[in-house]
Amino acid sequence: MGSSQTDLGHILENIVYLELLRRGYEVYIGKVGDAEVDFIAFNSEGQEYYQVSWSVLDEPTLKRELSSLEAIKDHNPKYLLTMDYTPFTSHNEIKQINVLEWLTGK
């Protein structure tokens, strides 16, 4: 059995996956070396990358979540979606967004 935090993270990933489908994207899971990219989303405007984590307030988790996106060398949009309430944050052009704001389009 996983911890409740882990279970919440998987539930959050499922919510993001379903929302990407609702928004008309084709959605895939990707790998860059040994790192997994939660979602690669394609639509008529191009492709985007998404990592989803309940929280990245601790440094090791932040580094782990960013590492797979940083390994992607193209210039398509990259997003880190979390439940953390932080002001707009960008990590080397990876946009960290509160997932609730992303879901509601705010």
Side-chain angles (χ1 to χ4, degrees):
M1 290 185 55
S3 71
S4 62
Q5 189 78 339
T6 301
D7 294 340
L8 292 175
H10 288 294
I11 291 168
L12 192 59
E13 284 182 5
N14 287 336
I15 290 168
V16 169
Y17 172 76
L18 292 171
E19 178 62 16
L20 287 168
L21 291 177
R22 190 194 70 76
R23 293 181 183 186
Y25 288 92
E26 287 182 46
V27 183
Y28 300 93
I29 296 169
K31 283 191 79 99
V32 180
D34 291 333
E36 181 181 291
V37 177
D38 289 334
F39 303 114
I40 303 171
F42 297 90
N43 69 10
S44 60
E45 297 177 21
Q47 114 185 8
E48 300 174 346
Y49 303 98
Y50 292 86
Q51 280 297 105
V52 181
S53 180
W54 188 262
S55 176
V56 293
L57 293 178
D58 67 295
E59 194 66 26
T61 303
L62 177 62
K63 286 182 180 182
R64 182 186 70 240
E65 296 297 336
L66 291 175
S67 66
S68 56
L69 294 175
E70 289 171 338
I72 300 168
K73 300 303 179 193
D74 66 26
H75 296 287
N76 292 312
K78 299 171 183 82
Y79 301 97
L80 173 58
L81 304 177
T82 73
M83 287 295 292
D84 301 328
Y85 282 101
T86 57
F88 175 79
T89 306
S90 180
H91 309 273
N92 297 323
E93 299 188 23
I94 298 168
K95 295 176 185 169
Q96 182 178 337
I97 303 171
N98 175 273
V99 69
L100 299 177
E101 292 175 0
W102 178 80
L103 286 166
T104 59
K106 293 184 179 181

